[in-house]
Amino acid sequence: MKYISFAIPCYNSAEYMEHAIQSILPAGEDVEIIVVNDGSKDETAEIAARYEKEYPTIVKAVNKENGGHGDAVNVGLDHATGLYYKVVDSDDWVDEEALFKILDVVKSFVEQKKEVDMVISNYVYEKVGMEHKKVIHYRNVLPQNEIFRWDDIGRFHLDQYILMHSVLYRTELLKLCQLRLPKHTFYVDNIYVYYPLPHVRTLYYIDVDFYRYYIGREDQSVNEKVMISRIDQQLFVTRSMIDMYQLKKIKSKKLRKYMLNYLAIMMTVSSILCIRSKNPENLRKKRELWQYLKDRDGKTFLRIRYGILGQTMNIPGRPGRKISSMAYSVARRLIGFN
């Protein structure tokens, strides 16, 4: 039995993908590693094939036409046979000790015949040049070492939201809720985390520093200049998340509040990128995004627009945009997200 399916989406990843693969291999036959080559033009396919040949019962090499990160996640899910599904980007890796602790927890679910939809663990910003690595944990928000529900969660800080790095979903849940990420689009990891949430009934948090999130490559999607150049994709993802749910219909009050705050963060990121681009066309797109939210869900619009984040992003005029930009710069230094 495969307890966890690890998908590693790869595009021209030959330089660093082996570190990701090798960090998971110690788990042996308890896991499968699905290396999805997304139409790479370097030696990615050859490296994946070599690992599949050496570890035929653990590693699957899947080659596909280029469709972007989200499409590679979809294809990985299509090939997944493990009880849980975890995405590891090709320039990231996992901690071996934490890996075994998570496997022990998943095995205990099987032994006790417990169905847990979502397993959460910590992640670490492996930022180049930073001596002290920032760890994102949830020990002040989530019950530890027990199965719980949305009504049991606490209040998340701004830097504590559940990202792709911190979550394992039950594979069957993702398939049943028909999660499909759009092709040729960056920042779809937000959809990956957000869309399944109302389908999740049971959760489990284990306080281990499992995922190592590398930040430092100039071409990385979270680099601010790169994000501004891809602002239309960020806006598309945010609109897609607005379209997914009428939040007033979410039954759990705490989940509804969590999703509202997550959407507020997405609106904030989209807005600040438009502001920092200093492009009049992007400022128009920012106004259109807020109007889109207002038209689609007026109540959610009012709660976000007149919350702290919404007010900070919508101070009128050039001085207002400067204040918004300064607030973002302070938050970025405190949180260390790019």
Side-chain angles (χ1 to χ4, degrees):
M1 178 180 184
K2 298 296 184 182
Y3 292 96
I4 304 174
S5 295
F6 287 91
I8 305 179
C10 295
Y11 178 71
N12 293 344
S13 304
E15 190 178 330
Y16 38 77
M17 61 188 282
E18 291 192 69
H19 188 197
I21 297 170
Q22 290 171 3
S23 71
I24 304 167
L25 278 173
E29 297 295 337
D30 286 341
V31 304
E32 64 180 356
I33 303 170
I34 306 164
V35 184
V36 183
N37 170 34
D38 188 38
S40 300
K41 297 177 175 65
D42 63 0
E43 293 76 39
T44 293
E46 290 78 5
I47 293 170
R50 171 161 52 83
Y51 276 94
E52 182 180 54
K53 185 176 180 180
E54 189 171 352
Y55 303 94
T57 59
I58 301 173
V59 178
K60 295 179 183 178
V62 180
N63 295 305
K64 60 181 287 296
E65 292 183 1
N66 181 259
H69 183 266
D71 193 47
V73 172
N74 294 339
V75 170
L77 182 59
D78 291 340
H79 285 80
T81 63
L83 185 62
Y84 287 87
Y85 186 65
K86 176 70 178 175
V87 179
V88 177
D89 287 338
S90 58
D91 52 353
D92 298 336
W93 62 96
V94 302
D95 178 81
E96 182 175 333
E97 183 180 351
L99 172 60
F100 282 107
K101 288 181 179 179
I102 287 177
L103 274 170
D104 286 343
V105 168
V106 171
K107 289 176 183 179
S108 74
F109 298 158
V110 176
E111 291 167 4
Q112 298 168 28
K113 297 182 180 179
K114 302 285 188 181
E115 191 173 90
V116 178
D117 295 327
M118 186 181 193
V119 178
I120 301 162
S121 58
N122 308 334
Y123 65 94
V124 182
Y125 282 105
E126 293 285 349
K127 191 170 185 178
V128 172
M130 293 290 286
E131 183 178 348
H132 299 289
K133 308 298 184 184
K134 184 175 179 64
V135 178
I136 302 300
H137 67 82
Y138 306 92
R139 63 183 72 106
N140 60 312
V141 186
L142 305 176
Q144 292 186 45
N145 304 318
E146 62 178 271
I147 298 171
F148 60 93
R149 297 180 180 272
W150 287 119
D151 288 341
D152 301 318
I153 67 175
R155 184 175 180 180
F156 288 78
H157 295 161
L158 191 60
D159 64 344
Q160 272 187 313
Y161 277 72
I162 299 166
L163 303 185
M164 182 180 272
H165 316 314
S166 48
V167 65
L168 288 85
Y169 278 120
R170 189 167 57 85
T171 306
E172 192 62 23
L173 174 108
L174 294 181
K175 292 182 178 182
L176 286 172
C177 76
Q178 299 181 317
L179 173 75
R180 302 308 284 181
L181 303 181
K183 290 186 175 183
H184 300 294
T185 307
F186 287 89
Y187 315 115
V188 294
D189 50 327
N190 293 291
I191 295 174
Y192 178 86
V193 175
Y194 186 83
Y195 175 73
L197 292 177
H199 301 271
V200 170
R201 296 289 179 266
T202 51
L203 306 88
Y204 191 99
Y205 169 55
I206 177 169
D207 185 11
V208 292
D209 301 342
F210 181 41
Y211 194 95
R212 304 303 170 121
Y213 175 31
Y214 178 82
I215 299 181
R217 289 189 293 110
E218 288 188 3
D219 64 338
Q220 206 163 8
S221 60
V222 293
N223 178 288
E224 186 181 303
K225 290 180 180 178
V226 175
M227 291 182 79
I228 289 173
S229 73
R230 296 171 177 162
I231 185 64
D232 286 340
Q233 296 185 48
Q234 179 75 40
L235 292 168
F236 170 77
V237 167
T238 304
R239 280 195 177 92
S240 297
M241 291 169 65
I242 291 170
D243 289 341
M244 282 173 193
Y245 299 104
Q246 287 279 319
L247 293 186
K248 64 184 178 183
K249 295 182 179 179
I250 302 297
K251 292 181 180 179
S252 168
K253 184 177 180 180
K254 288 191 174 182
L255 174 59
R256 185 165 65 246
K257 183 177 180 181
Y258 174 83
M259 293 178 71
L260 178 88
N261 289 338
Y262 197 119
L263 199 56
I265 291 170
M266 292 297 294
M267 293 293 293
T268 300
V269 171
S270 297
S271 297
I272 199 64
L273 291 173
C274 290
I275 291 170
R276 288 175 74 86
S277 73
K278 299 179 181 178
N279 182 327
E281 177 71 9
N282 287 339
L283 293 176
R284 179 184 62 80
K285 290 176 181 178
K286 169 182 171 286
R287 292 192 295 271
E288 289 177 349
L289 177 66
W290 285 93
Q291 186 63 46
Y292 187 82
L293 175 60
K294 185 177 182 179
D295 292 342
R296 294 290 296 176
D297 189 340
K299 189 172 182 180
T300 296
F301 166 79
L302 290 172
R303 293 191 66 182
I304 293 177
R305 172 61 182 82
Y306 296 101
I308 294 174
L309 293 177
Q311 291 188 63
T312 304
M313 290 302 111
N314 289 283
I315 303 172
R318 185 177 294 178
R321 292 194 293 273
K322 191 170 183 179
I323 292 169
S324 300
S325 188
M326 288 173 62
Y328 167 79
S329 296
V330 170
R332 185 176 61 179
R333 282 197 297 273
L334 290 173
I335 299 171
F337 50 80
N338 61 22

